[in-house]
Amino acid sequence: MGKIIKNFSEYQQQYSSSIKNPEGFWDEIAENHFWRTKWEKTLEWRFDGEGSPEVKWFINGKLNITENIFERNYHEKKNQVAIIWEPNNPEEEAIRITYHELFEKVKQFANALLKTGVKKGDTVAIYLPMVPELVIAMLACARIGAIHSIIFAGFSATSLADRILDASSKILITADGGFRGSKEIPLKKIADDALSDCPVVEKAIVLKRTDEDVPMKEGRDIWWHDLIKSVGSDNEAAEMDSEDTLFILYTSGSTGKPKGILHTTGGYMVYAEYTFKNVFQYSEGDIYWCTADIGWITGHSYIAYGPLLAGATIVMFEGIPTWPDAGRFWQIVEKYKVNQFYTAPTAIRSLMAKGSEWVKKYNLDSLKVLGTVGEPIDEDAWNWYHDIVGNNRCPIVDTWWQTETGGIMISPLAGITPIKPSYATLPLPGIQPALVDPEGNEIMGNNVEGILCVKFPWPGMMRTIYGDHKRCFDTYFSLFKGLYLTGDAAKRDADGFYRIIGRIDDVINVSGHRIGTAEIEDVINLHPLVNESAVVGYPHDIKGSGIYAYVFCANLFDKEPELLEKEIKAIVNVFIGPIAKPDKIQVVSELPKTRSGKIMRRILRKIGEGDATNLGDISTLLNPAIVDEIIKGAKVVVRK
Ligand code: PRX
C-alpha cells in the first residue's frame, strides 16, 4: 500500500518519476488515505515573489488526520497494540494500549477539550513528559481541529511562557511532574511560573504523574482525571481542509526568538506516513522504537504521526538512556524485541563511551534497522552503532531533515540504498536538493560541496512561521531566489551521495537539540555584570557541539570568576533550560570586533575549537591585539 519501495531500481524509478511528474507521483500516494472530499488540484506553489513562500498541497481536500490513524485502519488494527509504554523506572509496570483503546481515549479527551471550550482553530499548548497522554492530547487536538503546540518538557518557565504567548494558546495541558532518570521535574511548578506571565491561558489541564502535591488554581486548573470522568467517547472528527494548520512547533534560528514552524494537515500526513514506511521498511508485526522526545519534530513525525498512520506498534519511553544504568536502551530492545531502532548520535556517543559490555549483555537479535537523526554522526560512532549494536547486520539509516521539512529528506532506505559511514546518502523520492555556492549558483556534478538548498516543494514542508510570514521568507527564501535554504552545508561525493557537513549559520546542535547562539547570548546578557557576550559551538565528544560563551564585563566588582560562571549557568538554566547551559565560559576584556562594531565570531569559533592556526584576516579588527589575549585565556588548549 502506498508505493513501498522494495529494491534499489524501484527507488531509482520512483525518484525519477517523482521529478518528472511530482503531482502525479504524490497523487498516487495520497489516494491511499481517507479523504472526506478528494482534492481538486494537487499543488500550487511559489518560493519567490509577493507573499511567498506559498505552498499548497491537495487543494480543497477535506480530511481528518485521526480518521486516517483510526477509522481508516480500524478493521485490521483494532486489537493490535499501538503503544507499548515503558516507564522511566524499570520497576514500574509497562503499559500496552491497543489501537481500539487509544482511539477511545483520543475521542474521550477530544470531547473533554470541547467541554473545556476549545474550538477548531484554537491553539493548545502541551507541556507533558513522555507519557501516553502526550500522544492522546496531541491526537485529541487534531481530532477536533485544534492546533497543538507541544513544548519540550525540559524547557524553562520563560521559554514555555514565550511559546504560549507567541501562539496565543488559551489552554495548557501539563502534569504535576515528570520523571527523567533519577530526577523528578516539577512541571506544574514551572507551568505556574510561566502562567503568571500568560493571562491568555484560561484553563490548565493537569495530569497526575508523579503524585506530587501541587497547588491548583481555582477556576483555571483542572485535573485530567476529573475532566474526563463524565465524558463519553462518542466523537465525530472535525472536517479539516488539507491546508488547515495541524500544529506549530518552535525551533531556534540564528537570530531572535524561536520560530513557530507551522505545518498543515494533508501534505504533512501524506509525507509522514510515506517516509516512515519507506525509510524504516516497517512490516506488519514489527516493533518500532524512536527514542526522541515528542517535544521535538522527530517525536511528532516518527513517534506519533508517521508510525501511527502506518498502523505500527511503537515503543514510547519515558526515561533516559543511562538510567538506572547504561544498558537501559538495550534492555528495552531485548524486552520488546524491537525491530527498528531510531536514536540520535549524541545518545550513541554517550553509550559508546560507557563501553560495549553494556550492549553485549543483551540479546539484540530482533534488530533489523538502526536509524540516526539530528546531527552529523562521525565515523567512529557510526561504526560502533553498526558493528556493536547492529552486530554488523543492520543497515543504518542516517536521516537528514529538519523541523521545517516535517519529515525525512535525505536518507538511505533501509536495506535498499547502499550505506556509507556518516552519509545521509540519497534524497527521498520527491525531494530535489541543490548544492549552491555563496552567490546562489547551483553547483553541478559530483565530488562537490556547497550550501544545501531544496528546489521544489514537498508535501510535508512547513507553510510559514506562525504570525510572521515575512520572517519565513526572509529566513528561508530570501538569500537565494527560488530556493529553500536549509542552513546546512553538504558534500556530494563521487557516487552522488550526500554527507551533511553542518550548519552554516549561528545555530548549533547540542546533544541533538537545536539552539540559536543568539538566544543564549540574550539570556547571558541579562546578568547584571555582563555587558556583552558571544556564544559559539565547539566540537564536543559526547554532545556533538558544546557551548562556549565569551563574556565581556566592563567591571567585575571583585566578583570571583567562578561565581560569575555559576550565575551565568543558572540564568541560562532558568531562562531557557538545562540544554542551553554553556560548557565553557571565558571572561574577556574585550570581544574581537570589526571597526563597524560587528563581533568576528569566526575567530571565536576557531579559538573555541582549539585551533588558531588559520584565523584569516584579522586586520579589520578594531583591536587585533585582543586575539592573543583571548587565546591565552582560552578554556581549551589552542594550537597556534
Ligand atoms: O543541522 C541539521 C541537523 O539538525 C538540523 C535540524 O534540526 P531540527 O530542526 O531540530 O531537527 C532535528 C531532527 C530532524 C539540521 O539543519 N541534522 C538533522 N539530521 C541530521 C543533521 N545533521 C547531520 N546529519 C543528519 N542526519
Side-chain angles (χ1 to χ4, degrees):
M1 185 172 93
K3 293 213 181 195
I4 305 306
I5 298 167
K6 285 292 160 211
N7 55 53
F8 196 60
S9 75
E10 266 178 39
Y11 161 76
Q12 288 170 315
Q13 253 169 12
Q14 274 203 31
Y15 189 79
S16 81
S17 78
S18 78
I19 306 303
K20 277 192 215 112
N21 176 11
E23 282 94 336
F25 175 80
W26 289 112
D27 274 350
E28 216 181 297
I29 293 163
E31 302 275 1
N32 291 294
H33 292 81
F34 172 65
W35 300 82
R36 289 200 189 170
T37 309
K38 197 183 161 178
W39 59 98
E40 289 162 4
K41 190 173 174 204
T42 309
L43 171 66
E44 271 176 17
W45 73 288
R46 247 160 0 104
F47 281 179
D48 186 40
E50 181 75 18
S52 60
E54 193 185 5
V55 175
K56 292 185 186 156
W57 281 92
F58 311 115
I59 296 155
N60 289 335
K62 307 287 177 210
L63 75 158
N64 186 290
I65 196 166
T66 69
E67 281 187 337
N68 280 273
I69 294 174
F70 298 113
E71 281 95 332
R72 177 175 58 140
N73 300 328
Y74 200 63
H75 288 299
E76 302 104 79
K77 299 285 173 184
K78 188 176 169 192
N79 297 317
Q80 186 195 307
V81 173
I83 300 176
I84 303 172
W85 178 73
E86 171 73 12
N88 177 62
N89 186 342
E91 314 269 287
E92 199 185 323
E93 210 175 315
I95 295 176
R96 285 182 157 78
I97 305 172
T98 64
Y99 271 92
H100 171 70
E101 289 161 342
L102 185 62
F103 189 24
E104 293 300 300
K105 286 174 195 288
V106 166
K107 286 187 294 182
Q108 184 189 37
F109 196 64
N111 287 335
L113 289 175
L114 291 170
K115 186 173 139 190
T116 316
V118 181
K119 290 189 281 302
K120 185 173 171 180
D122 286 350
T123 306
V124 175
I126 303 179
Y127 185 64
L128 282 173
M130 281 287 287
V131 289
E133 285 80 359
L134 174 49
V135 177
I136 294 166
M138 75 195 288
L139 296 183
C141 287
R143 184 89 185 162
I144 64 171
I147 300 164
H148 56 74
S149 167
I150 302 180
I151 298 123
F152 172 57
F155 275 124
S156 67
T158 314
S159 297
L160 174 60
D162 285 349
R163 287 157 175 78
I164 290 174
L165 291 173
D166 188 76
S168 310
S169 304
K170 286 201 293 191
I171 306 279
L172 172 69
I173 304 173
T174 188
D176 48 359
F179 297 116
R180 264 181 83 73
S182 58
K183 291 195 195 126
E184 224 180 282
I185 318 289
L187 294 176
K188 176 65 164 61
K189 189 186 167 303
I190 300 170
D192 280 338
D193 288 351
L195 292 189
S196 63
D197 292 329
C198 301
V200 285
V201 174
E202 292 161 8
K203 292 272 181 245
I205 302 171
V206 187
L207 178 80
K208 215 180 237 316
R209 170 66 188 121
T210 54
D211 242 343
E212 199 56 27
D213 207 7
V214 293
M216 296 289 280
K217 189 172 168 184
E218 187 72 42
R220 186 195 70 190
D221 299 350
I222 175 156
W223 287 107
W224 176 301
H225 56 266
D226 285 337
L227 180 67
I228 61 169
K229 239 181 227 156
S230 55
V231 180
S233 64
D234 273 351
N235 176 284
E236 166 113 11
E239 182 164 292
M240 307 302 289
D241 186 85
S242 188
E243 283 300 332
D244 279 342
T245 305
L246 177 63
F247 67 84
I248 302 169
L249 180 59
Y250 285 83
T251 191
S252 296
S254 53
T255 55
K257 57 188 178 90
K259 305 169 281 206
I261 301 298
L262 186 147
H263 285 282
T264 59
T265 307
Y268 175 83
M269 168 184 76
V270 170
Y271 198 67
E273 182 177 328
Y274 173 78
T275 51
F276 169 73
K277 285 177 167 169
N278 278 295
V279 170
F280 295 99
Q281 293 286 307
Y282 182 88
S283 348
E284 232 17 74
D286 282 350
I287 309 288
Y288 162 90
W289 179 21
C290 166
T291 70
D293 191 290
I294 292 186
W296 310 112
I297 191 69
T298 306
H300 280 60
S301 302
Y302 300 109
I303 294 179
Y305 287 114
L308 295 178
L309 282 160
T313 297
I314 64 165
V315 174
M316 177 178 184
F317 177 42
E318 184 184 28
I320 57 170
T322 47
W323 192 84
D325 60 43
R328 188 70 196 274
F329 268 6
W330 321 124
Q331 178 247 335
I332 297 172
V333 169
E334 179 183 273
K335 182 173 174 191
Y336 299 115
K337 301 197 169 47
V338 169
N339 302 112
Q340 290 89 6
F341 177 73
Y342 190 28
T343 195
T346 189
I348 299 166
R349 287 189 301 264
S350 77
L351 295 174
M352 181 168 89
K354 303 274 181 197
S356 306
E357 318 77 86
W358 289 106
V359 186
K360 294 190 170 142
K361 270 174 74 173
Y362 298 94
N363 180 345
L364 306 186
D365 286 352
S366 59
L367 286 173
K368 296 198 278 196
V369 177
L370 300 174
T372 113
V373 58
E375 38 168 334
I377 177 162
D378 56 274
E379 286 197 29
D380 281 354
W382 194 99
N383 286 326
W384 184 81
Y385 198 30
H386 185 263
D387 299 353
I388 306 296
V389 178
N391 202 9
N392 271 311
R393 49 168 198 89
C394 302
I396 293 184
V397 290
D398 178 353
T399 62
W400 174 83
W401 59 295
Q402 309 177 295
T403 307
E404 293 86 342
T405 69
I408 297 169
M409 301 284 281
I410 304 183
S411 168
L413 308 180
I416 291 170
T417 316
I419 51 172
K420 203 166 175 176
S422 76
Y423 275 76
T425 71
L426 296 171
L428 298 198
I431 303 307
Q432 302 188 30
L435 295 181
V436 303
D437 68 18
E439 279 72 51
N441 305 308
E442 184 167 356
I443 305 167
M444 307 306 284
N446 287 342
N447 253 330
V448 290
E449 268 181 37
I451 301 164
L452 180 60
C453 294
V454 188
K455 293 195 270 196
F456 195 86
W458 62 101
M461 72 181 290
M462 69 164 167
R463 301 298 192 258
T464 188
I465 292 175
Y466 182 77
D468 201 346
H469 194 59
K470 182 169 179 305
R471 187 173 175 202
C472 180
F473 176 77
D474 291 346
T475 311
Y476 304 104
F477 297 92
S478 67
L479 189 61
F480 304 130
K481 200 173 148 73
L483 294 176
Y484 165 71
L485 174 72
T486 67
D488 283 309
K491 170 186 169 144
R492 190 167 49 225
D493 76 358
D495 303 320
F497 282 22
Y498 288 85
R499 176 188 184 146
I500 307 302
I501 297 169
R503 302 284 310 190
I504 51 162
D505 52 11
D506 292 319
V507 170
I508 49 182
N509 287 314
V510 181
S511 299
H513 303 316
R514 173 167 160 184
I515 304 174
T517 53
E519 263 174 87
I520 309 176
E521 290 164 8
D522 287 349
V523 169
I524 293 178
N525 297 348
L526 294 174
H527 189 288
L529 293 184
V530 175
N531 297 78
E532 206 174 9
S533 61
V535 169
V536 297
Y538 70 95
H540 187 288
D541 283 351
I542 304 291
K543 296 177 163 187
S545 278
I547 301 173
Y548 198 128
Y550 298 87
V551 298
F552 164 61
C553 306
N555 194 336
L556 275 173
F557 297 102
D558 293 333
K559 166 90 72 185
E560 291 290 331
E562 292 75 31
L563 187 58
L564 178 74
E565 276 187 31
K566 250 186 159 163
E567 289 171 358
I568 288 175
K569 286 184 183 174
I571 287 189
V572 175
N573 200 22
V574 167
F575 283 91
I576 306 180
I579 54 172
K581 258 195 297 189
D583 300 275
K584 294 181 194 290
I585 298 174
Q586 182 180 353
V587 180
V588 295
S589 64
E590 196 182 318
L591 287 166
K593 286 190 178 172
T594 60
R595 287 190 197 93
S596 58
K598 219 171 153 264
I599 298 172
M600 263 205 190
R601 281 163 200 284
R602 144 176 88 73
I603 293 175
L604 296 174
R605 234 176 263 134
K606 289 283 270 181
I607 298 173
E609 284 165 11
D611 174 15
T613 48
N614 180 15
L615 290 180
D617 180 14
I618 59 168
S619 64
T620 54
L621 284 180
L622 192 61
N623 174 17
I626 190 63
V627 174
D628 261 344
E629 199 186 307
I630 296 177
I631 291 173
K632 275 199 200 99
K635 294 288 174 89
V636 289
V637 182
V638 184
R639 278 182 293 121
K640 286 223 277 179

